[in-house]
Amino acid sequence: MRKVALVDYGKLELQENSEHIRTLEPGTVKIDVAACSICGSDIALYHGKRSLQNERYFGHEFSGVVADAGDGSNGIYKGMRVASELSRTCGHCWNCRNGLPNYCKSMNDALLPGGFSEETLVLNTPEYSFISPIPDTIDDITATLLEPANCAYHVARQADVKHGETVVVFGMGPMGLTAARIIKSMGVDVVVGVDRSKMRLEKVRQLGFIDVVDSSDEDWQDQLLEMCGSKGADVVVELTGALPVLQNAFEIVRPGGRIVVGSVYSGFADKVELLPIMRKELTIRGSKGPYPHLKTDGTSAAVDILVKLQDDLKKLITVYDYKDALQAFEDMMSGAAIKPVIRFR
């Protein structure tokens, strides 16, 4: 079985051996992984910002085919094409009962060894599942975007955007770009992306679906005010994880505006001026994905979003064969690729 293994902080290996998953753990299904994309949280684990000792899995944005359906819960069957996303939670734990189903279980409980492997186990019980069926209109590579699309949709839902509002998204990585595209699809005319990486900004301009501003320009805030109105943006989404950018969000949002934070910060905000929270009467909401976004028939709303927006979202992808997986991680970290996807099959 081939896999990309994180053997220590900052050390990746391509491993191949004859061992395959033969025995399912209770409540799991076995997936033959077709492809897996790299998430910013994978890079955080690589850099030691998350604990290797506490993580059972590596890679969680994958697509594939069900090789063993276990007890067949939720209509999952052998041979079904699926992709990872949080699609079902128990509904009766404290988190679920208090409107936080995205905290029902940890991904440590859901994946083993994870998507950077030719085979993985995925939890799929009547009460919890981390996979959704995907239609034939989505190919295996594009399907790896389902889980991040789910997270980005949660960002958009937390922003509670309305037609006619203006939205600024800080951070033009894959999550920022996906969230911006989803927000624009909700009838928001003015969606502006902000970044300071020249390489990233040029790539976003080539994509062509949102306007961008370079925050290294001296007049970047004036540019945003010209686009969003003199009072500032109705909604600001912060997806960089950089504390100075949180300060920028306070400055550029209008009085009575909303800030959505989907970033994972490390460190204390000792140099962030918090007075605007009161002075502007701001609403600040966190956004932790993935989240079980379901339609009334119980199927995934994120799948529908991916089908609708795939022509734009697949432009974020750079595909790497398994043998080039280490280069994929390098390109993710350098910014040479927006969303690297490693192809196993």
Side-chain angles (χ1 to χ4, degrees):
M1 182 170 69
R2 300 184 300 174
K3 66 179 179 178
V4 184
L6 182 57
V7 296
D8 200 353
Y9 300 120
K11 186 177 181 181
L12 291 164
E13 286 183 358
L14 301 185
Q15 297 182 350
E16 299 186 38
N17 56 59
S18 58
E19 295 181 7
H20 290 265
I21 297 171
R22 302 188 185 281
T23 304
L24 299 190
E25 293 190 359
T28 63
V29 301
K30 177 182 172 183
I31 307 295
D32 286 340
V33 175
C36 185
S37 61
I38 301 175
C39 175
S41 64
D42 301 321
I43 302 301
L45 186 61
Y46 174 88
H47 286 304
K49 294 181 179 179
R50 298 169 62 193
S51 171
L52 268 175
Q53 286 68 42
N54 295 335
E55 301 285 349
R56 297 181 71 200
Y57 68 96
F58 187 43
H60 58 277
E61 300 178 353
F62 57 87
S63 65
V65 176
V66 177
D68 189 330
D71 64 4
S73 294
N74 308 314
I76 300 298
Y77 57 83
K78 183 177 180 179
M80 174 180 276
R81 296 178 66 239
V82 295
S84 57
E85 74 157 341
L86 180 56
S87 60
R88 182 180 295 269
T89 59
C90 74
H92 56 72
C93 69
W94 187 93
N95 290 314
C96 286
R97 287 187 289 104
N98 286 277
L100 298 168
N102 45 334
Y103 287 87
C104 181
K105 288 183 183 292
S106 163
M107 274 194 279
N108 269 333
D109 301 315
L111 305 173
L112 181 70
F116 291 128
S117 174
E118 279 191 305
E119 299 174 353
T120 189
L121 298 181
V122 183
L123 193 60
N124 177 61
T125 70
E127 291 193 327
Y128 188 94
S129 182
F130 204 79
I131 50 172
S132 285
I134 55 174
D136 290 339
T137 51
I138 304 177
D139 61 75
D140 290 334
I141 299 298
T142 306
T144 65
L145 298 181
L146 177 59
E147 198 275 346
N150 175 304
C151 297
Y153 182 48
H154 192 49
V155 169
R157 291 283 298 270
Q158 292 292 80
D160 190 26
V161 293
K162 302 174 183 64
H163 179 69
E165 290 189 317
T166 58
V167 179
V168 170
V169 180
F170 283 97
M172 290 288 93
M175 187 55 60
L177 281 165
T178 305
R181 184 63 188 87
I182 290 173
I183 288 169
K184 192 162 187 178
S185 75
M186 293 176 163
V188 179
D189 294 328
V190 179
V191 182
V192 186
V194 182
D195 209 300
R196 62 187 305 111
S197 166
K198 306 294 186 187
M199 181 187 302
R200 183 60 54 83
L201 288 166
E202 183 55 35
K203 289 178 181 292
V204 178
R205 290 188 183 100
Q206 291 172 6
L207 294 174
F209 53 73
I210 62 168
D211 294 319
V212 291
V213 167
D214 186 342
S215 59
S216 63
D217 291 345
E218 288 188 7
D219 66 341
W220 70 273
Q221 291 196 11
D222 292 335
Q223 294 178 46
L224 285 177
L225 293 176
E226 185 175 344
M227 300 165 85
C228 296
S230 60
K231 294 294 187 182
D234 296 296
V235 179
V236 174
V237 178
E238 205 298 276
L239 292 170
T240 71
L243 286 167
V245 179
L246 181 61
Q247 180 68 59
N248 295 152
F250 290 147
E251 295 164 359
I252 207 67
V253 71
R254 70 164 173 81
R258 308 186 296 284
I259 296 175
V260 177
V261 178
S263 299
V264 180
Y265 295 113
S266 57
F268 295 94
D270 58 337
K271 294 184 179 180
V272 175
E273 174 57 68
L274 300 179
L275 186 59
I277 298 174
M278 182 275 285
R279 289 292 187 200
K280 289 186 171 183
E281 293 199 356
L282 300 178
T283 299
I284 302 174
R285 303 192 71 176
S287 180
K288 177 192 173 294
Y291 189 96
H293 292 293
L294 301 178
K295 300 185 295 182
T296 53
D297 64 1
T299 59
S300 167
V303 169
D304 283 1
I305 289 169
L306 187 55
V307 170
K308 178 182 177 182
L309 302 180
Q310 63 176 314
D311 287 345
D312 278 343
L313 296 182
K314 67 174 51 176
K315 296 174 184 176
L316 309 182
I317 292 173
T318 304
V319 181
Y320 299 77
D321 287 328
Y322 165 77
K323 64 182 177 60
D324 299 317
L326 303 188
Q327 186 63 51
F329 277 86
E330 289 292 330
D331 289 351
M332 176 73 168
M333 290 184 280
S334 72
I338 295 175
K339 193 63 172 174
V341 174
I342 298 168
R343 178 168 50 200
F344 284 90
R345 302 178 192 276

